Amino acid sequence: MLFLVDYENVGNAGMKGSSYLNAKDHIIVFYSETKKNMERRTLEIITASECIFEICKLCKTGKNALDFYIASKLGELFGGGQEGIAVIVSNDNGFQAVRDYWEKRAEHRRKVLLSPCVEDGIVCGGENNERTRELKRLRENLTIGGYHAAYLERMRIKTVLQKLFEGTEYENMTEEIRNLIEGKEKTSKTIYLNCLHLFGRNNGLAIYNRVKACDEL
């Protein structure tokens, strides 16, 4: 994906989601002298992602000057054969005209998204990949009470398992065992088969039998 960041408009908040950039992405940060600083962690995250990273500093200040830079650069890239989704990271509604041109008027149509931050751009892009699925999962709205109840149950099971396997050769495996018990399918059969698959026949059977005999699980 191509990201054109109106940094003067969005600042550090617009860089949210930079940790999900990858080597297939291209990000260009447009900024001016009035807003020339970015958090070190964000810059290091961008460069560590191995994406194509460019910057473009405004030469002369002027009304909407940076917007014209971004629109011009997008036209330059699309005209040069740039493919895929482009995301303009800005809160400026004026960029809707740029999006409409490329999606409705241009001879060679291109998909242009408007987003307040990098993360929203990735999600709205709707690509069929792991980062999009992970971001959608993380952004899912959950009830606070329900999540907390599930958290308390996980902590209870963790404590039970630590006591159950304390002093055995499996006491350092309680985290893996807990993951088996808390899986989506928690039937005796699936737990039994998963124990054998993960720990081997002998160890898996020993772990399963101990878990099955515990009244607290």
Side-chain angles (χ1 to χ4, degrees):
M1 295 179 72
L2 169 65
F3 299 88
L4 301 102
V5 181
D6 182 1
Y7 190 69
E8 190 174 59
N9 179 274
V10 297
N12 280 306
M15 307 311 296
K16 178 185 177 183
S18 296
S19 58
Y20 288 90
L21 294 170
N22 60 44
K24 295 181 180 180
D25 294 319
H26 181 178
I27 186 168
I28 309 173
V29 177
F30 295 82
Y31 70 103
S32 66
E33 183 66 22
T34 59
K35 203 158 194 174
K36 62 182 180 180
N37 296 322
M38 184 183 294
E39 290 183 352
R40 175 190 292 273
R41 59 180 169 182
T42 302
L43 290 166
E44 291 180 348
I45 284 171
I46 293 172
T47 52
S49 73
E50 298 184 350
C51 69
I52 299 173
F53 176 35
E54 296 183 50
I55 61 171
C56 183
K57 185 178 181 181
L58 184 65
C59 292
K60 286 186 178 181
T61 58
K63 186 178 181 181
N64 299 323
L66 215 55
D67 298 358
F68 292 126
Y69 270 40
I70 293 172
S72 298
K73 184 62 177 180
L74 184 61
E76 177 187 334
L77 291 170
F78 278 160
Q82 174 80 35
E83 298 288 345
I85 300 170
V87 181
I88 297 177
V89 180
S90 177
N91 292 306
D92 190 336
N93 292 327
F95 284 116
Q96 291 179 4
V98 177
R99 178 198 61 194
D100 292 345
Y101 174 81
W102 284 105
E103 293 189 356
K104 299 175 182 178
R105 296 295 182 185
E107 180 180 354
H108 300 290
R109 305 295 171 83
R110 296 289 188 271
K111 187 173 183 179
V112 178
L113 303 175
L114 308 181
S115 171
C117 65
V118 172
E119 181 179 299
D120 281 9
I122 294 173
V123 173
C124 292
E127 293 180 320
N128 183 23
N129 54 33
E130 184 59 34
R131 71 174 178 182
T132 302
R133 288 188 288 272
E134 175 63 9
L135 280 172
K136 286 182 177 180
R137 185 189 71 82
L138 292 173
R139 289 156 66 103
E140 180 184 1
N141 283 317
L142 305 175
T143 61
I144 298 172
Y147 185 86
H148 185 255
Y151 162 76
L152 292 178
E153 176 61 9
R154 289 197 303 272
M155 294 302 100
R156 186 192 71 80
I157 291 175
K158 180 178 180 180
T159 300
V160 170
L161 289 175
Q162 287 174 339
K163 291 180 179 178
L164 185 63
F165 290 98
E166 186 177 4
T168 72
E169 58 186 303
Y170 311 114
E171 63 180 346
N172 294 325
M173 302 179 184
T174 54
E175 190 65 23
E176 292 90 337
I177 298 170
R178 182 166 68 90
N179 290 335
L180 290 179
I181 295 173
E182 293 179 346
K184 291 182 179 179
E185 298 183 12
K186 297 190 289 185
T187 65
S188 296
K189 183 177 180 180
T190 55
I191 293 174
Y192 170 74
L193 292 175
N194 287 334
C195 279
L196 297 187
H197 176 73
L198 185 60
F199 302 110
R201 181 171 181 79
N202 293 333
N203 290 334
L205 186 58
I207 291 171
Y208 172 76
N209 286 335
R210 190 176 284 261
V211 169
K212 184 180 180 182
C214 181
D215 295 332
E216 298 181 75
L217 295 173

